[in-house]
Amino acid sequence: MDFAIVNGLLKRAPGKGLVHAPFALTPAPITPRDNHRIEELTAPFNRLVLALSRDIGFLGEVLAGVAESDGFTRDLLAMAAAREALQPLRLFLTRGDYFLQAGGAGEPPLIRQVELNTISAGYAGLAGRVNLLHRQLFAGTPQAEELIHNDPIGPISRGVSRAFGHYGHPEGCLLMIVQPGDGNIFDQRMLEIALREEGIEVERMTLEELAERGRLREGHLTVGGRIAAIVYFRAAYTPDDFTSPDTFRARGMIENSSAVSIPDIATQLAGTKKIQQLLAEAGTLEKFCLPPDAALLRSTFAGIYSMEEPIQGPEGSLPAWRAAMARPGEFVMKPQREGGGNNLFDDELRAALAGSSAEERRPFILMERIAPVTHTALLVKEGVAEETLCVSEIGRFGLLLAHGGEELLNVDAGYLVRTKPRELREGGITAGYGFLNNLCTASAQP
Ligand code: ADP
Ligand code: MG
């Protein structure tokens, strides 16, 4: 517990004050080959997001149906369409999330993408700290050799610093847009401190505060007279963050400024579940990627369906939503939301679909439920350790800097492992289900 606290593995919990973030004491095993295969996906997925985010016509067209039933998507689309293009520089901080699923006999596991986060991809800071924790705990033992090193904040802050240099106002700052009272504040502070070390001033504020203090001056977003060169979002991915018309105005002000936004709205929309589902349709992914990338990325797709499309199952051909009602345990129903806790499983899924209209179903997609490989782990929460049969979701951080369509930087920046008891359906740390963890090469399984 002392090591966890010394390393900053902390969060604020409502009513409890400062507590340690849940973590595992035993890393998740992976073969070096599978680890490499997952890492290799980051750059092509970033490239795909760049292509998508540059095609607002496509995003608008394919999200129009969802927007009819979902006000948040509608508002985002309207803001993206109204954007005055002032800034050819783009900076993405993404995180692709994956599970390993058992392959056939004698075959390596399948890599299955859960989703690609293009906004507020968190835990880069705490992931580095849980790595430090395990390095300290295992020092001098064979396990130390097998732990896979991880420090995402390093490459991320260096990449952000490069973008800051390209923007060309060294007196400017990075503006971090946060939720009021976010418990995961230390993860954000770790990036903030690393950026200061790079010579970048950081201002934190909520959308509400920006509405009060922000101004547009000659195309630049300014706070207290200082130019915001980069705006980094750790909020604004959920309608709950838009508490007033002022907050929408603040978001629009960012979008219509010269600030480099991580992300701009088009990039945010490129990461929606609906786009993920459409990319899985025959030929769509291939419009946005070169053939080798397309084949590689497609190999990670689980089944993912629009509600009404016919799918084949033991019942014959049924619209996907009817197949999901018949076999709810085999699907996950997802709305166009980020941040965890929004998906529907099992009985909730069935209850939501029973008696639903096509219009009510439209904002959702259905995804095949992935059955990840399991491992045992020692999980620590509120100071108590418990050995549990678990699954681990592996996230890969990616950083992309582009000028127009030209990539200036496109790199993998390290990983996040969230280990959770096998029977839990959702996996978020913030939502309270996941435990921060590391990867170790398979032979190091304790
Ligand atoms: P969010 O944007 O809210 O994070 P995700 O798509 O990442 O939504 O889903 C949240 C969690 O639900 C994941 O972290 C994972 O644990 C679980 N989950 C999502 N999709 C699947 C799936 N297809 N199979 C199994 N579990 C899933
Ligand atoms: Mg997720």
Side-chain angles (χ1 to χ4, degrees), residues 329-350:
E330 295 177 28
F331 295 87
V332 184
M333 181 169 157
K334 302 189 179 188
Q336 308 308 306
R337 290 289 178 273
E338 302 296 328
N342 300 303
N343 297 336
L344 300 171
F345 296 80
D346 303 312
D347 292 345
E348 283 166 16
L349 178 158
R350 187 183 264 151

Side-chain angles (χ1 to χ4, degrees), residues 8-10 21 123-131 184 186-187 190 436:
L9 220 50
L10 297 166
Y123 290 101
L126 294 193
R129 299 312 175 99
V130 77
N131 200 255
N184 189 26
F186 304 109
D187 184 56
M190 286 166 193
L436 290 159

Side-chain angles (χ1 to χ4, degrees), residues 142-429:
Q143 274 134 301
E145 305 292 306
E146 286 150 344
L147 193 66
I148 300 178
H149 190 274
N150 191 36
D151 184 18
I153 288 290
I156 290 172
S157 55
R158 287 193 295 277
V160 173
S161 175
R162 233 177 107 174
F164 189 79
H166 275 279
Y167 182 90
H169 280 269
E171 77 290 359
C173 68
L174 179 141
L175 177 62
M176 199 185 290
I177 300 291
V178 297
Q179 294 176 333
D182 190 333
N184 189 26
I185 183 169
F186 304 109
D187 184 56
Q188 301 165 0
R189 290 289 195 204
M190 286 166 193
L191 180 60
E192 179 178 336
I193 290 165
L195 290 170
R196 290 232 169 83
E197 292 281 308
E198 294 281 337
I200 302 173
E201 255 325 295
V202 178
E203 290 256 15
R204 286 170 62 89
M205 65 187 68
T206 62
L207 281 174
E208 205 74 69
E209 286 162 344
L210 179 66
E212 224 168 84
R213 295 185 52 203
R215 300 282 178 276
L216 275 180
R217 292 217 177 110
E218 294 167 6
H220 297 308
L221 175 64
T222 63
V223 276
R226 175 178 234 168
I227 291 178
I230 298 180
V231 179
Y232 170 52
F233 284 96
R234 289 299 287 261
Y237 53 83
T238 154
D240 301 346
D241 292 338
F242 291 90
T243 44
S244 66
D246 273 353
T247 53
F248 272 105
R249 196 173 52 74
R251 182 64 190 89
M253 189 159 61
I254 298 168
E255 197 68 7
N256 290 313
S257 75
S258 67
V260 178
S261 290
I262 318 174
D264 55 30
I265 291 175
T267 305
Q268 179 178 348
L269 290 171
T272 52
K273 272 92 182 163
K274 186 65 193 176
I275 297 296
Q276 184 185 7
Q277 179 253 308
L278 286 163
L279 289 170
E281 286 181 356
T284 311
L285 174 69
E286 290 71 13
K287 281 188 209 151
F288 294 95
C289 300
L290 292 172
D293 275 4
L296 179 67
L297 302 186
R298 193 172 275 288
S299 74
T300 70
F301 291 177
I304 184 162
Y305 315 101
S306 72
M307 285 286 165
E308 313 300 323
E309 78 180 88
I311 57 175
Q312 285 297 333
E315 315 85 0
S317 176
L318 282 181
W321 71 276
R322 286 203 175 277
M325 278 192 72
R327 293 174 283 125
E330 295 177 28
F331 295 87
V332 184
M333 181 169 157
K334 302 189 179 188
Q336 308 308 306
R337 290 289 178 273
E338 302 296 328
N342 300 303
N343 297 336
L344 300 171
F345 296 80
D346 303 312
D347 292 345
E348 283 166 16
L349 178 158
R350 187 183 264 151
L353 288 174
S356 62
S357 69
E359 195 188 337
E360 285 162 347
R361 291 190 292 269
R362 208 176 293 136
F364 295 88
I365 57 104
L366 282 166
M367 187 168 178
E368 169 197 340
R369 185 130 163 214
I370 303 162
V373 294
T374 58
H375 62 96
T376 53
L378 207 47
L379 303 178
V380 187
K381 194 175 198 171
E382 298 179 4
V384 180
E386 199 174 340
E387 191 171 61
T388 314
L389 186 62
C390 290
V391 300
S392 284
E393 188 168 346
I394 303 168
R396 294 288 339 183
F397 291 104
L399 206 67
L400 179 140
L401 175 65
H403 188 280
E406 186 200 352
E407 283 176 20
L408 306 177
L409 179 77
N410 185 4
V411 291
D412 181 275
Y415 68 83
L416 166 71
V417 176
R418 289 172 297 172
T419 296
K420 63 171 179 176
R422 182 176 65 164
E423 64 281 3
L424 288 189
R425 300 175 298 194
E426 287 262 350
I429 309 273

